[in-house]
Amino acid sequence: MISDPSFVEAHQSRSATTLLISFPDMRRPRGRRHLFSISDGEARQLSGFPHWNSSQSVNGLICIYEQLVRSSPKLSFRVIVCNPSTRERVTLPPTHFAFYHQNISLGFDPSTKTYKILRAWWGSYRGTMYEIFTLGSHAWRIIKDGPEFASETKGICLNGTIYWAAAFDLSEDDSNLVVMENRVIAFDVGEEKFRSVPVPPEAPIWDKYKSNIIQIGGHMAIADCQEVATSISTAMVVWKLEDSVNGVWSQKRILLPECWIHRPVPNPRFRRFFVASSDGDKIILIPSGFFRDFSVFQCNIEEGCLWREAIHRPPQDDWVSRSSIVISRQVCEYVESLVSLKEICRL
């Protein structure tokens, strides 16, 4: 009964958005990470997943992947698609490329009910290369005509389109001025084509340490925390993409408590907090030292109100450092799902 497609869709539509946050095993330096589900004031460890970096979640599925592992070459660049709810997993075939860095985005084409994994590769002396894998197939395919710059930030998939944002350096060789341009790149999962989405000129320059890509009410949005991060003010600006074809954006300023601009930062490179998507018009603010103060903050976009939610730590997590630093690549919004990887691959 629970494998029936109508039941799976009904279950997913009633599931609330939660967070997945990963922390390193302090007993194994540079080793595997452990995945925690944060929901209803509880942090629950999800066992059985060798976790490294993760993509954003689509219909309850996520990709976990590794960069170059010199001590374990066979594990380098491995990509696994998994469903934490059912504990199913699928290891994808080897890739065509093996550059220094990779970024993974999981996409879904609602017209064909097809899942695809978009992979970007880049290195010190090479351009960016793209390849794609259709879940249920047997090999990666090279995608041409992609953007020259691949963002290190996570992409999100909405209505069959993967979005991510980055700042491009437009300075010329004979100029001493550095001119930056904001761009949002959209990838149509069904047609497998890239396009650029116009960004308002008054929008601040994208910074992966001070901004987050999120979704609000089915729309892609950018949560800009630069004024808070630089202690200029307590205002966080949320830019919501109302029309991706014509580049129509709406803007909302949210005032945070005064203490947020004086919040201690574990590392100057990292931020005071990260922003994640929630249900409806709500977002979640996650302190960068999450396992130190054990709390997240819920924020209603329309009303501008903010409230604190204490998180109870599981008793068996003695291996977790109480000053663990959370970075955006370790945070994933997640909805529990009964989507079957076995069924997808069988079809």
Side-chain angles (χ1 to χ4, degrees), residues 27-248:
R27 298 171 301 185
R28 299 180 181 180
R30 303 178 63 85
R32 59 182 286 176
R33 308 186 68 87
H34 294 265
L35 204 58
F36 284 82
S37 171
I38 310 296
S39 178
D40 298 327
E42 298 288 340
R44 179 171 60 92
Q45 183 180 350
L46 302 179
S47 60
F49 290 98
H51 187 71
W52 306 291
N53 298 321
S54 66
S55 71
Q56 289 290 15
S57 175
V58 178
N59 297 338
L61 304 182
I62 62 172
C63 290
I64 54 179
Y65 60 100
E66 181 59 289
Q67 305 290 6
L68 179 64
V69 183
R70 300 186 184 278
S71 59
S72 303
K74 291 184 179 180
L75 298 181
S76 295
F77 311 121
R78 185 172 61 169
V79 178
I80 298 173
V81 182
C82 61
N83 184 336
S85 297
T86 63
R87 298 192 179 184
E88 287 182 309
R89 70 180 72 187
V90 174
T91 301
L92 303 189
T95 177
H96 292 96
F97 309 110
F99 296 168
Y100 291 109
H101 302 285
Q102 66 171 331
N103 196 16
I104 300 291
S105 295
L106 179 61
F108 177 69
D109 180 11
S111 63
T112 60
K113 307 294 184 181
T114 303
Y115 292 88
K116 297 181 181 181
I117 296 89
L118 178 65
R119 191 178 204 167
W121 290 94
W122 67 95
S124 302
Y125 304 103
R126 298 175 179 265
T128 305
M129 305 293 292
Y130 295 89
E131 55 185 349
I132 195 166
F133 185 89
T134 301
L135 202 56
S137 65
H138 302 285
W140 294 87
R141 294 177 287 110
I142 297 175
I143 298 291
K144 298 182 179 180
D145 302 323
E148 297 181 359
F149 177 82
S151 175
E152 295 183 58
T153 58
K154 287 183 179 180
I156 62 171
C157 183
L158 296 171
N159 303 317
T161 301
I162 299 174
Y163 297 94
W164 72 90
F168 289 74
D169 185 354
L170 300 182
S171 58
E172 298 182 358
D173 294 338
D174 56 352
S175 173
N176 292 325
L177 296 177
V178 177
V179 181
M180 304 295 291
E181 178 190 19
N182 274 353
R183 291 187 193 176
V184 169
I185 303 299
F187 178 78
D188 188 294
V189 179
E191 297 184 358
E192 299 183 359
K193 293 182 178 180
F194 295 90
R195 60 183 173 88
S196 181
V197 179
V199 177
E202 64 271 21
I205 294 297
W206 170 261
D207 187 327
K208 67 179 180 179
Y209 294 117
K210 301 171 185 175
S211 304
N212 274 114
I213 293 289
I214 58 176
Q215 71 91 12
I216 300 176
H219 293 264
M220 175 266 190
I222 298 177
D224 175 57
C225 316
Q226 297 191 60
E227 292 187 0
V228 180
T230 54
S231 301
I232 295 177
S233 77
T234 60
M236 180 179 69
V237 183
V238 177
W239 298 83
K240 184 166 70 171
L241 182 60
E242 305 287 356
D243 184 344
S244 64
V245 176
N246 299 308
V248 179

Side-chain angles (χ1 to χ4, degrees), residues 225-285:
C225 316
Q226 297 191 60
E227 292 187 0
V228 180
T230 54
S231 301
I232 295 177
S233 77
T234 60
M236 180 179 69
V237 183
V238 177
W239 298 83
K240 184 166 70 171
L241 182 60
E242 305 287 356
D243 184 344
S244 64
V245 176
N246 299 308
V248 179
W249 298 74
S250 63
Q251 178 187 6
K252 185 75 174 181
R253 295 178 68 86
I254 301 173
L255 294 179
L256 302 177
E258 187 71 26
C259 61
W260 281 73
I261 66 174
H262 304 298
R263 187 181 185 85
V265 182
N267 187 308
R269 292 186 61 199
F270 301 114
R271 289 175 280 169
R272 294 175 171 84
F273 62 93
F274 294 89
V275 184
S277 307
S278 185
D279 296 317
D281 292 325
K282 294 188 300 181
I283 58 175
I284 303 174
L285 280 60

Side-chain angles (χ1 to χ4, degrees), residues 301-319:
I301 295 292
E302 296 302 321
E303 299 177 5
C305 55
L306 185 74
W307 65 96
R308 179 177 178 273
E309 179 183 4
I311 303 298
H312 300 287
R313 184 187 59 181
Q316 69 272 21
D317 70 337
D318 294 335
W319 46 265

